[in-house]
Amino acid sequence: MHANPYIVGNWKMNGTRAMLAEARAIDRAAARYPAVQVALAPPFTLIHAMADEVSAIGVGGQDCHAQPKGAHTGDISAAMLLDCGADFVIVGHSERRKDHGESDAEIKAKAEAALAAGLGVIVCVGETLEQRDAGKAEKVVGAQVDGSLPSAEAIAELAPGKVSVAYEPVWAIGTGRVAEVADVIAMHAAIRLRIEAAYGERADGVRILYGGSVNAENASGLLEAEGVGGALVGGASLTAESFVAIIAAAGAERD
Ligand code: PEP
């Protein structure tokens, strides 16, 4: 298990102010596990209020624009996220890649913009079921890593931990179908090689998270798997009850 696992909840398009009570409960529980880095990525509309109300957890966005400002109706820049209290942003989630046709190059530009603004970044990659069944999972995900990660120059001056990669097989997101631990280990090892090729020894500071139907029951097995540095959690991060169980699994034997 990673010494400082990173457990991140992605609320997607869920949550109004009433849900801040869940964030407060998650924050209180996270304070009991100092070795676990915990964060939530609520919808844009809740970032400011959530950041004001929590102290033990990070708060982040689910996307940002690559430009700092300008004529981009409906978009939010990395500097705006920072300004309203965010400390990180998720980029390249498969739902963004699919719903908004985001390319690796666009995701890389967003990741670099986020780092330049002072945010941490989680870059998501993952293959579809069709690609896995065709034996192309490593090739597809390897190309996504190569194409979407910020450049070595963009990370040269950063503290370790500012960049994470989330391996999220598309077929495991929101489906209840979890990847086999052996496949997770193999994919994380393949991703690690690509990160090392890109960043050299600075690759050590990059955690690789697993995402895809992580819940209280399967979290321990996944988090103990070789090469897994944490989890990106969708559905099970929406309530304190289910998310805290995952944080506790990450914190077991550590605190
Ligand atoms: C996600 O959206 O990043 C995710 C992993 O969702 P879920 O945990 O619901 O599969």
Side-chain angles (χ1 to χ4, degrees):
M1 222 191 258
H2 196 280
N4 294 104
Y6 191 20
I7 308 295
V8 184
N10 172 15
W11 280 8
K12 310 192 186 192
M13 200 172 71
N14 296 291
T16 53
R17 281 178 295 169
M19 252 176 83
L20 291 172
E22 299 297 331
R24 285 193 295 272
I26 290 166
D27 186 55
R28 282 194 299 275
R32 299 199 300 268
Y33 301 96
V36 182
Q37 186 180 346
V38 180
L40 286 174
F44 290 132
T45 48
L46 288 181
I47 290 174
H48 193 270
M50 190 183 286
D52 266 357
E53 296 202 18
V54 298
S55 55
I57 67 172
V59 179
Q62 301 169 13
D63 179 49
C64 67
H65 199 278
Q67 297 299 321
K69 61 179 179 163
H72 303 289
T73 303
D75 282 313
I76 308 265
S77 75
M80 291 168 180
L81 287 175
L82 190 78
D83 183 54
C84 71
D87 48 53
F88 77 100
V89 64
I90 298 168
V91 296
H93 192 283
S94 61
E95 287 153 14
R96 302 260 350 147
R97 289 179 186 261
K98 180 167 169 281
D99 296 354
H100 300 270
E102 291 186 6
S103 67
D104 288 337
E106 283 165 329
I107 293 159
K108 177 178 180 161
K110 289 177 182 213
E112 291 182 352
L115 294 175
L119 296 171
V121 70
I122 300 173
V123 181
C124 300
V125 296
E127 81 284 0
T128 62
L129 189 56
E130 213 177 23
Q131 290 163 335
R132 172 151 290 269
D133 288 346
K136 293 184 180 155
E138 275 190 28
K139 189 167 175 245
V140 167
V141 168
Q144 289 175 340
V145 172
D146 291 350
S148 354
L149 244 60
S151 69
E153 293 69 40
I155 71 142
E157 308 294 327
L158 296 177
K162 277 282 204 181
V163 177
S164 304
V165 174
Y167 168 57
E168 300 204 301
V170 177
W171 46 271
I173 296 178
T175 59
R177 195 176 154 192
V178 189
E180 298 291 335
V181 170
D183 290 333
V184 172
I185 292 172
M187 292 302 292
H188 280 230
I191 293 168
R192 173 65 57 197
L193 285 178
R194 300 282 186 147
I195 299 172
E196 282 168 0
Y199 295 159
E201 60 190 29
R202 294 190 69 85
D204 289 352
V206 179
R207 283 171 291 191
I208 308 173
L209 320 181
Y210 169 77
S213 296
V214 176
N215 59 35
E217 285 72 44
N218 60 31
S220 292
L222 290 161
L223 290 167
E224 275 162 16
E226 178 75 29
V228 175
L232 182 54
V233 184
S237 72
L238 292 173
T239 66
E241 190 186 5
S242 49
F243 196 46
V244 170
I246 296 169
I247 298 166
E253 294 167 34
R254 228 177 249 98
D255 298 299

